[in-house]
Every structure is written in C-alpha cells, then in structure tokens.
C-alpha cells in the first residue's frame, strides 16, 4: 500500500503523537509507512520490538522464526498467551499484528534461517533486526545483510545485561557484526537464557531500545530524529542501572565485510 493510503485521515489521527514531534513530523511518519523491516527471532527481543514498530506505523514487516511458543516463553515474550503454547511463533505474531493494525503488510517465514537461505529470507527489507540467541544464526544474518547491502541492528540479552548494535558493514569504513565478535562463534555454542536466566523486563528494555534505534535508521536524512551511529554498540546494565557505548572499527580482514 502506498504511503498516501496509509496516511489517510484515520492514519494521521492514529499517528498524531508522532507527527507533532518536530523530530519526526509528517514526512517522517510517511517514511515509516513506506518502510520494510525484517525481524529475525520473535522471542523476548523480537516481541516488544515488533509491538513498538507496529505501533510506529512501519508499513511492512517480515517475521522470521521457526520456533513454537512454550510456557517458559511467557515470562518475557510479550505477544504470546497461554492459548498460543505449541503453535508457531511466526503465525501467532502475524495474528497479533492483524488484530493490532490491519493497515500493515506482513510476511512470515517459519523456516530455520541459515547461511544458505538467509539472504533470500531478508530479500526486500531495508533494515534487519536480529534478536536470535545463537552466534551461528547471528553471523549468518550479518553476512546476508552485508551481501544484500542492508543495515543490521543486532540485539542480545542475558541475565541483567543487554546490548544493541547498529552495523552497516556493506558501507566503506563501517564494521559489520562479524567484525565485532569474530569468526570463533560460527557454531551454536553461546550461552542461552535457559541456562543463565534472564529478567523479563530487561529483555523488554533491549527490544524497545532496538525499536527506537530502528526508527532512527529509517528516518536518517528525512527528519531530525538522530544519527544511527553505525558501528556503535550500546551496552545496557539492569543492575546498576545504566548504559554505555563503544565503537567497533571495521576489520579489513573480516570475511564478512573486509577487503
């Protein structure tokens, strides 16, 4: 659907609190209505990110997750209920969006994302948010984003700590996610929240911060909302609480984005 359709009087009223912000305005809201984001992983990070991106009026969403809802997910994965247990997350997420806003375009995939299919699964997206829980998948997504020329927001959380990084490894002098973590994690060997535990509210903070960063990426050059700060990783501490950031330099020998 064209932005003119999405910004009908009803849509203008729906997003009025965005439009009155000088940092977003009508032009910014129209840009969001035209945007296409792929969300990889519809768990604790993907759930709140999806909700706030839908609330922001992102016009098209591609949802990727091959998992089913489990009872232990309900502590932090905010779009699911007890009646969803045993059903596919991607299907349930699409149903949630249909109930929330029928004006959004939604595609889903319940296939496992891997190096061989990652680029095809994010095809057409102009931004990818990765909230998955293993390095093999994260690196496959990162490499696919570099190959497709698409920026990536990579988000992770464990216990009381989280991080969100904005990567544009397809651009000269900008790092990709592989520059950050290296090649040692090309296997599904990282710790999981099932092993270490995680505070549900901490996951929500990471997911909503990722959604806010996504809006910044989409509005660059259109509004005054801010700079996505490519190559910057924000670390979030739920115990202190606090946040700090650091920059990741491009690795010229990186097999994902290097020379």
């Amino acid at each position: 659907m064209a932005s003119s359709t999405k910004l009908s009087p009803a849509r203008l009223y729906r997003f009025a609190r965005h439009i009155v912000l000088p940092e977003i305005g009508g032009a910014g809201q129209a840009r969001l209505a035209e945007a296409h984001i792929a969300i990889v992983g519809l768990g604790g990070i993907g759930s709140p990110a999806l909700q706030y991106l839908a609330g922001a009026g992102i016009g098209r969403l591609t949802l990727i997750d091959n998992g089913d809802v489990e009872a232990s997910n309900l502590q932090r994965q905010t779009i699911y209920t007890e009646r969803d247990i045993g059903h596919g997350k991607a299907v349930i997420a699409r149903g949630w969006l249909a109930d929330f806003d029928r004006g959004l375009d939604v595609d889903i995939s319940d296939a496992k994302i891997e190096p061989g299919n990652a680029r095809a699964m994010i095809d057409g997206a102009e931004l990818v948010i990765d909230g998955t829980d293993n390095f093999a998948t994260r690196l496959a997504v990162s490499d696919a984003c570099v190959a497709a020329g698409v920026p990536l927001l990579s988000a992770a959380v464990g216990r009381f700590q989280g991080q969100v990084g904005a990567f544009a490894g397809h651009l000269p002098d900008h790092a990709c996610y592989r520059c950050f973590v290296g090649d040692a994690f090309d296997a599904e060997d990282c710790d999981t929240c099932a092993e270490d535990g995680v505070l549900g509210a901490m996951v929500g903070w990471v997911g909503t911060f990722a959604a806010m960063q996504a809006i910044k990426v989409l509005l660059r050059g259109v509004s005054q909302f801010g700079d996505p700060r490519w190559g910057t990783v924000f670390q979030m501490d739920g115990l202190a609480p606090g946040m700090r950031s650091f920059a990741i330099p491009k690795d010229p020998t990186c097999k994902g984005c290097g020379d």
Side-chain angles (χ1 to χ4, degrees), residues 44-45 75-76 131-135 138 154-164 177 190-207 234-240 242:
I45 293 170
Q75 167 250 10
R76 65 199 177 281
T132 56
D133 63 358
N134 67 83
F135 285 113
R138 291 179 196 166
S154 183
V157 65
R159 294 178 59 82
F160 301 93
Q161 312 295 321
Q163 65 183 33
V164 177
Y177 178 75
C190 62
D191 295 333
T192 68
C193 60
E195 299 166 339
D196 291 344
V198 65
L199 180 69
M202 186 70 215
V203 182
W205 183 17
V206 173
F234 293 88
Q235 284 197 326
M236 308 153 77
D237 187 342
L239 286 176

Side-chain angles (χ1 to χ4, degrees), residues 1-8 11 30 33-35 59 103 105:
M1 289 176 287
S3 61
S4 59
T5 301
K6 292 180 181 291
L7 295 182
S8 63
R11 302 300 279 180
E34 296 172 345
D105 293 331

Side-chain angles (χ1 to χ4, degrees), residues 186-239:
D186 273 316
E188 299 182 18
D189 59 355
C190 62
D191 295 333
T192 68
C193 60
E195 299 166 339
D196 291 344
V198 65
L199 180 69
M202 186 70 215
V203 182
W205 183 17
V206 173
T208 53
F209 186 76
M212 187 168 68
Q213 292 297 93
I215 294 170
K216 283 187 177 183
V217 171
L218 295 172
L219 294 185
R220 69 192 189 281
V222 177
S223 76
Q224 302 175 19
F225 187 44
D227 181 350
R229 295 178 63 181
W230 300 128
T232 299
V233 175
F234 293 88
Q235 284 197 326
M236 308 153 77
D237 187 342
L239 286 176

